[in-house]
Amino acid sequence: MPAAAIHKLTGSQHVAPYLSDYDAACRAFTWESARAQLAGLPGGGLNMGYEALDRQVAAGRGACVAARFIDRQWRHSDLTYADLLESCSRFGNLLQSLGVARGECVATLLGRSPELFTVVLGTVRAGRVCSSLFFAFGPEPLKTRLQLGRARVLVTSDELYRRKVAPIRAALPDLQHVLLVREANAGELPAGTADLAQLLGASGAQCAPAPTRDAEVALLHFTSGTTGKPKGVTLTHAAVIAQHATAKLVLDLHPQETYWCTADPGWVTGIAYGVIGPLTRGARMIIDREEFEPQRWYRILAEERVNVWYTAPTAIRMLMKAGTALARARSYPELRLMLSVGEPLNAEAVLWGTEVFGIPFHDTWWQTESGAIMIANFYACDVLPGAMGRAIPGVEIRVVRRGAGGRLEVIESPEEVGEIALRPGWPSMFSAYLGDEQRYRAAFIDGWYLAGDLARRDRAGYFWFVGRADDVIKSAGHLISPFEIESCLMSHAAVAQVGVIGVPDPIAGQAVKAFVELKDGVAQSEELRRSLMAHARRLLGAAVAPREIAFSAALPRTRSGKIMRRLLRARELGLPEGDLSTLEAGT
Ligand code: ATP
Ligand code: MG
């Protein structure tokens, strides 16, 4: 039984939402008008960096804070839009003087720092391609990514360089420049590197944006590696059209509102909604330089008066695990919108938001390949706990099946599960899987892009996630959704996180096995296992409930926070573990 809809616009709203009538917004929307809301380059092209910075400065927001960084000691440093425009201009001049050509790749391996923003924005503004790599990657995953992108420049720190890059440098013939962000007393420069600050200081502070076209590549992202080897995905400058439109219609970001995206810029969310989208909206971003810690996060939400908060299910579940009392120790009167992405968001978590903050979490669905949010629970619309939401205006999204003759058919029945399919033509759609043209072509069938996720679509157009195509369990002729079973177990008071897989069964084909991580302070016991089993049978029925429940101290997760069911499966069945480059240490 799905939880009841949470009706919005019944409480006090701080600001008028940009989207209040979903159907009307869909009817009125065109991508041409979305593009027209951006400035475009004087000569007619489009450039992400220009839209994020120059346009804001031209609109009189130069002195406004673009990003506030908070460090471990709770020290704050603010960068204004004008500051960022200047440092990005210097970086553009620097790339020119280093002889880095248009379209060549500049990679970053940096913690969340002002320099990271300078390099990402400065690179795309200068018409080079930026690949922002997650700072916790080890040498091997770095090597494959830097090789695939043929990076010419890498910006990193002394420490990361010594530990991770120096050992693989010989295998990177394309990498000509390594620029270091240095501590005050870092000592001698390692051989083959240069000091970024020094070079920026010597570069001119004025630099025109590159005259990029809509279809020119701006970003190279790597997927999370949840289902296999991470893929290199390219996005073009046109992605800014969809990122700006969704930052407006889904994040409902108003100029100078305080906004916190907890995703690291090493992942697509951390760039699309942690750098580009919010800056094109003129927002004031909070950037926490530290790692997740419940008390710290509540302090940021309260003391920084965050208005809009974009986070992920793993973090929400960890906050839930830390207990409601901790959340209630502070108040958050300015917080008006909380959103989630990256993994299925259980109804339990949506309702917990309502209980603790007085507002629900709004789930959103998208992927690296889509380049922007595609499905959302909109701010002013009813939230259906457990549903991902509805298609954003401008994109046709349906669930499809393979019909007779192998052709794709759109599923009309709200009960039937199918694969999520998007009609190509939205501006942030990926332009390639780098180095894998065949895989790219294979993702498009009969005029649809197939996302590789299974869902149902109800009569009102809300999508209900079922599972990744690779994770879905087939048992005794039934299609079983791991998400449904995980959500059910999550509703038990002792449970913090769950991962569900199918294991071979001689009769049913596959049987369901659940791995359960318990809340802090809850001890494993046979009695608890029986209680979980009974809970699942009661809610799901014996045919669907797990046959086996195992306790796990820490479920294997990607560094971007997704449960790696493929690894649970491989470990369970003694199969090769596959690519582990994105596995979170200790899980
Ligand atoms: P890989 O493609 O390498 O296996 P990945 O698919 O996890 O990794 P991303 O592009 O970061 O890499 O993640 C997109 C995927 O995350 C989606 O295809 C979907 O499976 C999952 N996802 C994102 N948002 C949601 C959501 N709201 N509900 C359920 N699943 C989601
Ligand atoms: Mg994927």
Side-chain angles (χ1 to χ4, degrees):
M1 250 307 264
I6 299 168
H7 300 292
K8 297 301 300 282
L9 284 179
T10 47
S12 64
Q13 302 289 332
H14 299 244
V15 285
Y18 284 116
L19 184 155
S20 49
D21 179 336
Y22 175 75
D23 294 318
C26 289
R27 278 195 302 275
F29 188 91
T30 63
W31 286 113
E32 290 70 37
S33 61
R35 192 185 190 285
Q37 292 195 4
L38 296 171
L41 287 172
L46 186 66
N47 182 292
M48 271 186 178
Y50 182 83
E51 298 300 334
L53 299 177
D54 304 58
R55 190 170 64 95
Q56 302 301 338
V57 173
R61 277 197 266 278
C64 296
V65 172
R68 158 166 288 192
F69 295 84
I70 307 177
D71 75 3
R72 185 192 291 277
Q73 287 80 32
W74 205 255
R75 285 176 305 214
H76 293 44
S77 56
D78 291 345
L79 282 182
T80 64
Y81 280 89
D83 294 336
L84 261 177
L85 179 56
E86 183 188 324
S87 64
C88 289
S89 298
R90 288 183 188 275
F91 192 70
N93 285 326
L94 174 57
L95 290 179
Q96 191 66 31
S97 69
L98 293 176
V100 181
R102 282 275 293 280
E104 286 188 325
C105 178
V106 175
T108 64
L109 181 70
L110 288 170
R112 291 180 290 276
S113 57
E115 291 82 3
L116 176 59
F117 283 71
T118 295
V119 176
V120 170
L121 287 160
T123 299
V124 295
R125 189 174 175 279
R128 278 70 171 177
V129 176
C130 185
S131 182
S132 170
L133 301 172
F134 188 49
F135 63 85
F137 280 142
E140 274 309 308
L142 279 177
K143 189 171 84 185
T144 36
R145 287 164 177 77
L146 291 168
Q147 282 176 342
L148 189 64
R150 307 192 62 178
R152 284 284 305 277
V153 180
L154 173 69
V155 183
T156 185
S157 67
D158 279 69
E159 198 224 335
L160 293 173
Y161 180 73
R162 282 206 183 85
R163 278 201 292 127
K164 302 179 174 188
V165 186
I168 56 166
R169 183 92 190 249
L172 303 168
D174 293 310
L175 185 62
Q176 291 184 329
H177 306 282
V178 174
L179 313 179
L180 299 183
V181 176
R182 315 208 74 209
E183 301 286 331
N185 45 12
E188 216 171 294
L189 264 177
T193 68
D195 182 332
L196 176 72
Q198 236 171 43
L199 294 176
L200 285 180
S203 303
Q206 306 281 328
C207 176
T212 45
R213 290 165 289 105
D214 290 43
E216 211 166 317
V217 174
L219 296 163
L220 167 62
H221 291 295
F222 290 90
T223 60
S224 289
T226 316
T227 53
K229 194 171 182 312
K231 301 165 282 259
V233 165
T234 56
L235 300 182
T236 66
H237 281 274
V240 70
I241 302 170
Q243 293 173 355
H244 173 261
T246 47
K248 183 173 175 183
L249 299 177
V250 181
L251 305 182
D252 196 58
L253 267 181
H254 291 246
Q256 280 304 288
E257 275 203 303
T258 301
Y259 166 72
W260 184 25
C261 170
T262 62
D264 187 271
W267 310 107
V268 71
T269 306
I271 296 287
Y273 299 105
V275 183
I276 307 290
L279 292 180
T280 66
R281 297 290 315 139
R284 180 178 171 280
M285 299 188 297
I286 299 292
I287 290 116
D288 184 15
R289 302 189 66 159
E290 283 303 304
E291 292 313 301
F292 174 84
E293 202 274 306
Q295 297 213 25
R296 186 178 169 90
W297 276 34
Y298 289 129
R299 184 173 175 192
I300 291 178
L301 288 172
E303 287 189 11
E304 296 304 322
R305 300 162 174 269
V306 172
N307 303 119
V308 178
W309 179 34
Y310 200 10
T311 190
T314 315
I316 299 169
R317 287 195 291 264
M318 289 201 276
L319 291 175
M320 291 167 74
K321 190 173 172 183
T324 300
L326 196 62
R328 291 214 170 118
R330 295 178 183 272
S331 65
Y332 318 91
E334 316 290 333
L335 188 60
R336 65 179 184 87
L337 176 57
M338 312 193 295
L339 307 107
S340 166
V341 68
E343 269 213 302
L345 183 68
N346 317 79
E348 204 64 24
V350 177
L351 298 171
W352 182 80
T354 316
E355 185 191 327
V356 169
F357 297 97
I359 47 176
F361 281 100
H362 291 240
D363 196 12
T364 66
W365 176 95
W366 60 293
Q367 29 173 227
T368 312
E369 291 89 335
S370 73
I373 297 168
M374 293 286 117
I375 295 177
N377 281 281
F378 293 90
Y379 174 47
C381 303
D382 292 350
V383 172
L384 300 189
M388 301 194 291
R390 289 178 285 183
I392 62 160
V395 186
E396 187 190 353
I397 309 182
R398 303 304 295 266
V399 291
V400 298
R401 68 164 100 77
R402 265 167 233 270
R407 281 197 77 76
L408 290 189
E409 291 172 357
V410 170
I411 296 174
E412 300 297 344
S413 153
E415 305 303 328
E416 196 182 328
V417 172
E419 197 166 337
I420 299 180
L422 293 80
R423 192 72 86 184
W426 73 96
S428 59
M429 191 181 87
F430 67 136
S431 58
Y433 279 132
L434 202 60
D436 201 345
E437 170 68 26
Q438 201 181 343
R439 182 172 204 152
Y440 184 71
R441 267 189 273 118
F444 297 87
I445 298 179
D446 295 341
W448 292 97
Y449 161 69
L450 292 182
D453 286 340
L454 301 180
R456 287 184 299 106
R457 181 177 177 275
D458 70 17
R459 291 200 198 287
Y462 280 80
F463 288 84
W464 298 79
F465 188 73
V466 168
R468 291 165 179 268
D470 297 1
D471 290 338
V472 162
I473 303 161
K474 290 185 194 83
S475 184
H478 302 293
L479 204 63
I480 298 180
S481 151
F483 173 51
E484 201 175 1
I485 298 169
E486 288 163 11
S487 293
C488 163
L489 286 168
M490 280 288 294
S491 68
H492 188 287
V495 175
Q497 293 207 78
V498 189
V500 162
I501 60 166
V503 291
D505 179 273
I507 298 164
Q510 277 189 310
V512 176
K513 178 161 183 179
F515 295 82
V516 170
E517 196 180 308
L518 297 173
K519 282 196 181 141
D520 288 345
V522 179
Q524 302 179 8
S525 70
E526 204 35 53
E527 197 187 336
L528 178 56
R529 192 199 312 274
R530 278 198 298 273
S531 148
L532 288 170
M533 205 65 113
H535 178 76
R537 289 221 174 100
R538 188 162 47 78
L539 293 179
L540 296 167
V544 178
R547 191 183 60 183
E548 234 184 298
I549 294 180
F551 293 116
S552 163
L555 293 170
R557 287 199 301 272
T558 65
R559 292 180 191 277
S560 55
K562 300 165 193 245
I563 295 171
M564 280 169 118
R565 293 175 191 80
R566 72 169 159 101
L567 198 52
L568 282 174
R569 229 170 6 240
R571 287 175 180 172
E572 177 69 19
L573 306 178
L575 299 171
E577 296 198 336
D579 186 294
L580 297 183
S581 62
T582 58
L583 178 67
E584 175 77 55
T587 67

